[in-house]
Every structure is written in C-alpha cells, then in structure tokens.
Amino acid sequence: MKKHKILYLITIILVTNFINAQDFQGQATYFSKIIFDKEPESNEVKSDQDIELEKVLSEAMKKASEKQFLLIFNKNESLYERIEELEKPEASNGGFSVKVNMSGIGKKYTNIIEKSKIIEDEIFGKEFLIVEKLEVFDWKVLQETKKIGNYTCYKAEVIIPVSENEKQSYQSFLKRNEVKPALFQMKEPKEKTITAWFTPEIPVSLGPLNYWGLPGLILELNEEKNIILCTKIVLSNKKNIKIKIPNSGKKVTQKEFDKIEREKLDSMKDADGEIIFQTKD
C-alpha cells in the first residue's frame, strides 16, 4: 500500500512539473444522461393506448436527457457548455408524438484562482447570470482505480447536503398537500453522494458542472441519477484556446435566482396549487 501511494505522488509531481513549465490547456468532450427509476408494477388495468403512450413518453425523456458537453480548460479556469446538435426526431408510436425539453443546460464557468463561478440559467425565457463563490468540496479520495480511455483514474466521493431552496420547496409542497393531496407526490429531499473519477495524468483541478478541487481532471461524474462520462480529450501547449466568460443575462446570486423562480411558479398556480399552462389555439 505504501508503495502504491508513493508511485501515485511521484506521478503527480512529475506531471505537474511538466505542465507548469508550459502553457497548458485542453478540451474534454463529455456524454451526459439521466437514469430514470422504473415505475413500480401496478395492478391497474391499462388500455393498449395508455401502454403505448407510456412507452413513447419514456423514450422521449431518455432521448432528452442524453446530451454532449465540451469542457474547455487551462490550469486556472474552465467553461462547460452544451454541444449543439441537430434536433432529434420526436418519439412516436401508433400516432402519438412526444417532445421533451430539459433545462439546466446553460454555460458554467469556473475560476479556481478567484474561487468564483458563473452559471447561465433562465426562467421562462428570461436570462440570468448566477454569480457565486465556488463551493469547497470535502472530497474523500478512495483506493479504487480504473481506466477511462488511456488514463488511470482514482475514485473520490463527496456528500452534498440538502439546499435551503430544496427544503423550502418541500415544506411548501407539504402545506399544499395537507389541503389537497397532489396527483404527483414530491419526495423529501435528501443529501446526495457525488462520485468522481479523476486522473492525475491531467493535473488540473477542474471538471464538469463546476465540480473542482481534486488533483486531476474529472473524467467521470455520477450525481446519483445523472451520469457524465468523458469520451474525448485534446491537450495542447501551443494553440491559445480562448475561454469566454458568460456575460448574457441579469446578474444575481443563487439565492436571488431561487426566489425569483419560486415567485414566478407561485404566480402560475391556481387555488389548488397546480401550475396552469396557457396555450394558444
């Protein structure tokens, strides 16, 4: 075990010295998808039409969750953004057609020198820039290793507590649910265990989704149901890759953004607490 740790430290030192002597930068391509829970079996008798609709909806959600992202990075900063792709055909079966869009795909900028992050987000079409200090993640590096491509990766975990916004949303749901039980029940939010696989062979303390703080680039990230895997890496010390800081939208803190979002959603609810969507004929 001691020999293993010594070799690990030597690897970091040698590679770090090599990179520090150069203008190091790179690009990493990631594939992201969400693992959906299977619905519990029910004794309810469903029509063939309902069964087909459920299949189409499940396939549409699966396709909507599968995206590609690009992480542009140097030793001190990174930008994580979605790779725009041709629009996929809508899932359909037996006359049904379903299209699902998932939010949370705005650009995410990280600067580990200034200990800051900037996230693009929106609320019903209105753009915001969430400007915050970087969280300090209390990573626990484990002894497990595996290969991702040609890189040896080490496993690390961190526990993310329940946010204040999640707590408030759940408490609001409980109050509404006492008056009238909701059709879809909200699960009580719980702390999450995040698993990362990083490689000291690319010793930049960065990764996807503003995750940082490990002695190597994060090549795989598991946010329980959200899986992100690096599929391609291009490293360079010659061409200067420009990292453009997001600047589109109203600047707010995460707390301010959460408050605006809650107020907007509350304004769209009816007397029973259900959100009303209006459509044009």
Side-chain angles (χ1 to χ4, degrees), residues 16-280:
T16 302
N17 288 340
F18 172 76
I19 289 180
N20 284 338
Q22 304 181 59
D23 186 15
F24 177 76
Q25 56 206 338
Q27 296 183 348
T29 303
Y30 293 86
F31 175 75
S32 172
K33 69 176 182 179
I34 296 174
I35 305 299
F36 294 97
D37 291 332
K38 290 185 178 180
E39 291 293 329
E41 293 187 5
S42 172
N43 294 325
E44 179 185 355
V45 178
K46 298 180 181 179
S47 66
D48 292 341
Q49 191 178 47
D50 288 340
I51 294 173
E52 289 302 317
L53 179 58
E54 288 181 358
K55 288 181 180 179
V56 173
L57 181 58
S58 176
E59 183 63 24
M61 293 181 66
K62 177 177 177 292
K63 287 184 177 181
S65 78
E66 295 176 349
K67 305 180 186 302
Q68 289 196 81
F69 293 85
L70 182 67
L71 182 74
I72 306 171
F73 61 88
N74 56 38
K75 291 183 291 184
N76 302 322
E77 57 182 342
S78 68
L79 180 67
Y80 186 69
E81 59 183 331
R82 183 183 175 187
I83 299 174
E84 294 298 331
E85 305 171 73
L86 292 176
E87 189 170 344
K88 299 178 182 178
E90 297 177 7
S92 62
N93 194 336
F96 292 114
S97 180
V98 179
K99 182 177 180 181
V100 177
N101 288 320
M102 294 191 175
S103 60
I105 57 175
K107 296 177 182 178
K108 302 179 189 298
Y109 172 79
T110 303
N111 190 311
I112 61 176
I113 296 298
E114 298 179 358
K115 297 292 189 295
S116 64
K117 65 179 181 180
I118 300 175
I119 301 171
E120 282 188 354
D121 212 329
E122 66 169 345
I123 300 175
F124 294 101
K126 185 174 181 180
E127 296 180 329
F128 292 88
L129 279 179
I130 302 173
V131 182
E132 287 279 330
K133 288 293 184 182
L134 282 174
E135 299 102 324
V136 178
F137 296 110
D138 187 19
W139 292 104
K140 180 181 179 182
V141 179
L142 307 176
Q143 297 177 8
E144 294 179 55
T145 65
K146 72 175 179 179
K147 281 279 191 177
I148 297 179
N150 296 322
Y151 297 95
T152 299
C153 295
Y154 294 80
K155 186 177 182 180
E157 292 182 344
V158 64
I159 295 176
I160 306 296
V162 178
S163 69
E164 287 302 318
N165 186 50
E166 290 174 321
K167 292 178 182 177
Q168 290 181 23
S169 296
Y170 184 64
Q171 291 302 319
S172 296
F173 166 79
L174 291 178
K175 290 180 181 178
R176 295 194 306 271
N177 207 47
E178 287 179 357
V179 178
K180 182 180 178 180
L183 179 61
F184 299 102
Q185 293 294 306
M186 182 179 183
K187 293 183 179 179
E188 182 178 0
K190 297 180 179 180
E191 62 182 22
K192 296 185 296 185
T193 298
I194 309 299
T195 301
W197 292 89
F198 68 96
T199 177
E201 296 167 33
I202 308 177
V204 293
S205 187
L206 295 161
L209 295 177
N210 298 119
Y211 284 98
W212 72 289
L214 287 165
L217 182 67
I218 297 173
L219 298 190
E220 182 178 328
L221 187 75
N222 298 340
E223 283 188 312
E224 296 188 337
K225 299 184 188 305
N226 188 30
I227 311 298
I228 302 173
L229 178 64
C230 182
T231 58
K232 181 181 178 181
I233 297 176
V234 178
L235 303 177
S236 173
N237 62 348
K238 296 179 181 179
K239 185 179 178 181
N240 184 27
I241 302 173
K242 179 67 175 177
I243 297 179
K244 187 177 179 181
I245 302 175
N247 60 4
S248 178
K250 179 182 177 180
K251 289 186 178 180
V252 293
T253 64
Q254 185 66 58
K255 186 175 181 179
E256 289 170 337
F257 179 85
D258 293 340
K259 181 181 178 182
I260 295 170
E261 186 175 46
R262 283 197 306 272
E263 290 175 348
K264 181 62 178 178
L265 290 174
D266 287 342
S267 70
M268 299 172 64
K269 293 175 182 176
D270 60 16
D272 295 324
E274 304 294 336
I275 296 178
I276 302 173
F277 291 95
Q278 295 182 343
T279 58
K280 296 182 179 179

